[in-house]
Amino acid sequence: MQAFNQSTRVVITGMGLVSPIGASLEASWLSLIEGRSGIAPIASFDHSALKTHIAGEARDFDPMRFISPHELKKTDRFVQMAIGAAQMAVDDSGLDWRRLDHDRMGAIVGSGMGGLPYLCAPHEKLLQGGPRRGSPFYIPSVIANIAAATISMRFDLRGPNYCITSACSSGAHAIVDGARWLRSRECDVMIVGGSESVMTPLSFSGFQALGALSTRNECPREASRPWDEDRDGFVIGEGAGIMILENFEHAQKRGAKIYGELLGFGVTSDAHHQTKPAPDGEGAARAINKCLNSAGIEPTEIDYVNAHGTGTEIGDLAETAALKASFGDHANKLWISSNKSMIGHTMGAAGAIESVFALKTLSHGIVPATINLDRPGEGCDLDYVPRTAREKSLRYVLKNSFGFGGVNVSILFSRV
């Protein structure tokens, strides 16, 4: 890519969402600000042999709204949700597809694990019937880049088209890369975000072996408890968040509705451990600092942080430490909340879904709560907006997204 042109402004002009609390942007947003949890007993697979029996499944999503029955048979669920969210985002943007230069448009969709359900299911057939039971749709359906590729084909996007896989920061990384293509002046419009569905016994057993999952099976809606003293791990969720990034001049010229501006970002690596964050959240703090510096914004100008907030002890403490390191005394004045308290951890889609929510927070002036936060745990002593949403006019919203492998992404959104 060419060097950044910092004068090129990047704005968000369309958004689409599939989540455990709604099959559309507006349905999900309404549930979020009302504090309604989407965590429930698992319905999509046999979980009897597992210790965890709860998840955030996108139960209201109907792929038949967006995909023909013929196509449905050969697409994994993460692709189906990505297509649905992308179509909603395109419709929301009001773009006139006939007047666009499709060579200057692209798609980047992050996914941490790709088509895992479609990957697992044929394995049993292989064991029972041998290689002849294989499907010609198998490989194209499970590769992680197929969501972006399918969106590219659906909307005739002839610019960059690829997937970013960086664990739970995949969706956030995709947004950052989309902004880079616009800032380089090589593209005018990018469809970006993340999609993930890992609703399989295999993935649950893997996270269970790490001791990462909540087993509060008797009270599903109370299971995801970021920063709470009684938290016992995160809850797996699924969904897709897609947004339309557009050159500001391009958007302004067509009179587009603008949700906000992507003002800056910071990307770092802990270079520390496969699953544990760097001590004291050092790597996350560097990402936050880089983000603020790239935007030319002072820490004291930030009022709200849409946190990574998984509900694991080590993660919650590291993010709290990072915020204190980056914001100093101002950290005590921040409002901080975790959408995961209601939707669970949507893995590679989390950074994108929560960025969509961050932009809704910015445009509506309503800060979603962290539900299930009854007694903050030791060391969790900031304002995490417990239990009830709050209203406040915001100028900037900082979004944090971190992942296994020590990846850290912070994005700053602002009003235009």
Side-chain angles (χ1 to χ4, degrees):
M1 294 185 195
Q2 301 171 8
F4 284 172
N5 180 349
Q6 294 291 352
S7 65
T8 302
R9 299 172 64 185
V10 176
V11 294
I12 297 87
T13 57
M15 300 195 295
L17 200 62
V18 175
S19 83
I21 53 176
S24 68
L25 175 60
E26 293 308 322
S28 297
W29 172 246
L30 182 61
S31 295
L32 191 76
I33 61 176
E34 291 182 350
R36 296 202 299 262
S37 172
I39 310 303
I42 296 169
S44 58
F45 65 89
D46 180 5
H47 50 89
S48 57
L50 298 169
K51 293 180 181 178
T52 293
H53 306 295
I54 55 176
E57 295 170 300
R59 299 188 180 203
D60 294 338
F61 174 63
D62 179 10
M64 295 289 286
R65 287 181 54 204
F66 308 98
I67 306 169
S68 70
H70 174 71
E71 291 296 317
L72 197 64
K73 292 188 296 183
K74 56 182 182 180
T75 55
D76 186 85
R77 186 164 171 81
F78 94 104
V79 180
Q80 296 167 11
M81 293 189 296
I83 292 171
Q87 186 64 63
M88 287 185 269
V90 168
D91 293 344
D92 185 44
S93 72
L95 282 162
D96 185 347
W97 235 240
R98 297 166 300 176
R99 299 187 177 185
L100 297 173
D101 183 348
H102 290 243
D103 290 343
R104 296 180 57 82
M105 301 172 66
I108 310 172
V109 180
S111 183
M113 302 180 81
L116 194 60
Y118 209 105
L119 183 71
C120 293
H123 185 246
E124 291 299 323
K125 292 182 179 180
L126 177 67
L127 293 178
Q128 295 169 8
R132 292 183 180 180
R133 295 293 303 274
S135 166
F137 303 131
Y138 180 66
I139 298 300
S141 297
V142 302
I143 52 178
N145 74 307
I146 200 64
T150 304
I151 290 170
S152 177
M153 290 181 279
R154 186 183 186 99
F155 298 107
D156 190 29
L157 312 178
R158 299 194 294 265
N161 150 35
Y162 56 94
C163 170
I164 289 181
T165 297
S166 56
C168 302
S169 294
S170 301
H173 266 122
I175 294 170
V176 167
D177 254 32
R180 290 176 184 270
W181 282 103
L182 293 180
R183 286 186 172 184
S184 72
R185 292 283 189 178
E186 294 181 68
C187 291
D188 299 320
V189 178
M190 292 293 296
I191 299 180
V192 300
S195 186
E196 194 87 274
S197 177
V198 296
M199 297 297 164
T200 69
L202 182 63
S203 59
F204 275 68
S205 64
F207 283 111
Q208 177 180 289
L210 286 172
L213 299 183
S214 171
T215 56
R216 195 183 291 264
N217 301 306
E218 69 283 359
C219 302
R221 289 177 175 80
E222 299 174 11
S224 186
R225 311 179 68 84
W227 300 294
D228 189 75
E229 183 178 54
D230 294 328
R231 64 197 184 279
D232 69 332
F234 67 81
V235 178
I236 293 178
E238 66 174 353
I242 300 291
M243 60 177 65
I244 308 296
L245 299 186
E246 196 169 344
N247 178 307
F248 175 68
E249 296 171 357
H250 191 272
Q252 190 178 45
K253 185 176 180 181
R254 69 179 184 88
K257 168 188 64 182
I258 296 175
Y259 285 102
E261 180 174 357
L262 196 162
L263 203 62
F265 49 80
V267 178
T268 66
S269 173
D270 287 350
H272 172 67
H273 190 271
Q274 284 186 330
T275 59
K276 297 177 183 178
D280 300 322
E282 181 274 336
R286 283 190 287 111
I288 295 170
N289 294 341
K290 284 188 173 186
C291 178
L292 297 177
N293 289 338
S294 74
I297 298 299
E298 293 297 321
T300 52
E301 296 182 77
I302 306 299
D303 294 316
Y304 171 61
V305 178
N306 183 301
H308 188 59
T310 59
T312 62
E313 182 174 359
I314 190 170
D316 289 353
L317 289 172
E319 186 167 14
T320 295
L323 291 169
K324 290 179 179 180
S326 294
F327 289 95
D329 292 340
H330 185 66
N332 297 302
K333 299 178 182 179
L334 292 171
W335 288 2
I336 306 155
S337 69
S338 172
N339 303 152
K340 292 182 180 70
S341 63
M342 285 173 261
I343 66 174
H345 194 339
T346 56
M347 318 308 284
I353 290 174
E354 294 160 17
S355 288
V356 169
F357 283 142
L359 283 155
K360 289 289 283 185
T361 297
L362 188 67
S363 59
H364 285 266
I366 303 175
V367 174
T370 304
I371 65 169
N372 304 321
L373 180 49
D374 299 326
R375 294 177 298 171
E378 183 178 355
C380 300
D381 53 1
L382 299 178
D383 185 349
Y384 306 107
V385 193
R387 297 181 293 282
T388 306
R390 302 174 187 169
E391 293 189 22
K392 186 173 188 177
S393 178
L394 300 169
R395 182 74 181 88
Y396 305 106
V397 171
L398 180 73
K399 170 62 202 153
N400 285 335
S401 186
F402 313 129
F404 281 0
V407 292
N408 308 294
V409 180
S410 293
I411 304 174
L412 187 64
F413 298 107
S414 73
R415 286 208 313 264
V416 175

